[in-house]
Amino acid sequence: MEKQQSKDPLHGITLQAILEQLVDYYGFDTLGKLIKIKCFTDNPSIKSSLNFLRKTDWARKKVEDLYSNTFPKF
């Protein structure tokens, strides 16, 4: 039997890894301008952002979309 590969481009990448790469690339200041959510603008940290993003589907989707557009896979 052949194993099917996931068609999800983010398969295998954790939310923490996504967020850390975006923060390294943009910084929290720019992230807060690109995605207007409080966890990026008011006393931002990876930990508080992860807590918010894990509970808020629409915000997580925006972060994942920004990651996919910033770091496209060829």
Side-chain angles (χ1 to χ4, degrees), residues 9-36:
L10 299 178
H11 179 74
I13 304 173
T14 64
L15 181 59
Q16 183 172 350
I18 290 170
L19 185 58
E20 287 173 347
Q21 273 193 275
L22 288 173
V23 170
D24 286 346
Y25 189 78
Y26 289 113
F28 276 114
D29 289 339
T30 303
L31 265 180
K33 292 175 185 172
L34 294 171
I35 303 173
K36 297 189 186 322

Side-chain angles (χ1 to χ4, degrees), residues 18-58:
I18 290 170
L19 185 58
E20 287 173 347
Q21 273 193 275
L22 288 173
V23 170
D24 286 346
Y25 189 78
Y26 289 113
F28 276 114
D29 289 339
T30 303
L31 265 180
K33 292 175 185 172
L34 294 171
I35 303 173
K36 297 189 186 322
I37 52 179
K38 194 173 182 178
C39 67
F40 292 159
T41 59
D42 295 349
N43 198 19
S45 72
I46 296 290
K47 184 178 179 181
S48 66
S49 298
L50 283 172
N51 286 336
F52 177 76
L53 294 171
R54 286 180 177 137
K55 296 176 187 174
T56 314
D57 290 337
W58 64 265

